[in-house]
Amino acid sequence: MKVLTAPTVAEMVVKKSRFLSEAIPVDSAEKSRAIWHSQKLKYDNGGHIVFAFVVGNSGGILGCSDDGEPAGTAGRPTLEVVKNSGITNFILTTARWYGGIKLGTGGLVKAYTEAAQIALENAPTRELQMMAHINFALPYNLLDQTKKLLEGLKFEAFEENYTDNIEFTGRLPEANQAELAAFLQDASKGSVVLNIEKTILE
């Protein structure tokens, strides 16, 4: 299984109806529904935001909604694309602005399927793997070389605080944490310690 490394946005127009699809990383059904509610407040399209989500390391937790579209024409086709993507832990939402021309049941199924597909077409992903959640505080004189190393080690920053030192919080593949720890130890002559908060499959 793979996971998204960043949200994606895609848009298309079918018979003057505009479809805006977004794939957003999540880690629970609750967060999926929270994002869905946020999307419903975000867009002025009559409040109809179709969605489908998949979460869990094996993609076993699923959900979808037609959200006002004719039953089976929107949420279920979107879910089929999501299920067959090989990606987990994300929600895909599609907002539609009606263009004045009815698409019919078959047209809606086709349009929502294609909207979901183009949202995932070039989505940035990585393999699901053990990730170490870490934090450390770094003196400013080590910032440039550390930043270069972090990029090579596929570090994903959650937060950077610039105070007396630079405090990093984020995650990286578990296999890369030893190299980072050794670099920090050597570069700082033992003054910088890598703290590992947890290591989980994600």
Side-chain angles (χ1 to χ4, degrees), residues 9-31:
V9 180
E11 188 173 345
M12 70 179 199
V13 176
V14 179
K15 294 183 179 179
K16 298 185 178 180
S17 281
R18 176 188 172 209
F19 293 80
L20 180 66
S21 296
E22 296 171 80
I24 303 167
V26 295
D27 58 14
S28 69
E30 292 74 21
K31 286 187 180 177

Side-chain angles (χ1 to χ4, degrees), residues 45-146:
N45 72 327
H48 302 301
I49 308 292
V50 170
F51 77 88
F53 69 82
V54 55
V55 295
N57 295 338
S58 60
I61 302 172
L62 306 159
C64 68
S65 172
D66 294 310
D67 198 29
E69 294 283 26
T73 64
R76 183 61 60 179
T78 301
L79 183 61
E80 286 303 309
V81 174
V82 166
K83 281 198 310 184
N84 294 324
S85 68
I87 306 170
T88 188
N89 292 347
F90 78 102
I91 181 172
L92 196 150
T93 67
T94 301
R96 177 169 79 112
W97 286 263
Y98 180 54
I101 301 174
K102 291 186 177 181
L103 301 183
T105 300
L108 284 171
V109 170
K110 184 174 185 293
Y112 275 105
T113 297
E114 290 179 357
Q117 288 171 337
I118 63 171
L120 295 176
E121 200 168 47
N122 297 306
T125 62
R126 63 166 172 79
E127 292 294 331
L128 190 68
Q129 60 187 311
M130 295 300 294
M131 299 291 286
H133 287 234
I134 63 173
N135 64 73
F136 59 94
L138 192 74
Y140 282 83
N141 66 304
L142 295 180
L143 179 59
D144 288 344
Q145 56 184 311
T146 303

Side-chain angles (χ1 to χ4, degrees), residues 35-53:
I35 287 174
W36 173 54
H37 285 295
S38 175
Q39 297 288 72
K40 285 174 72 68
L41 295 173
K42 181 178 178 181
Y43 294 115
D44 180 20
N45 72 327
H48 302 301
I49 308 292
V50 170
F51 77 88
F53 69 82

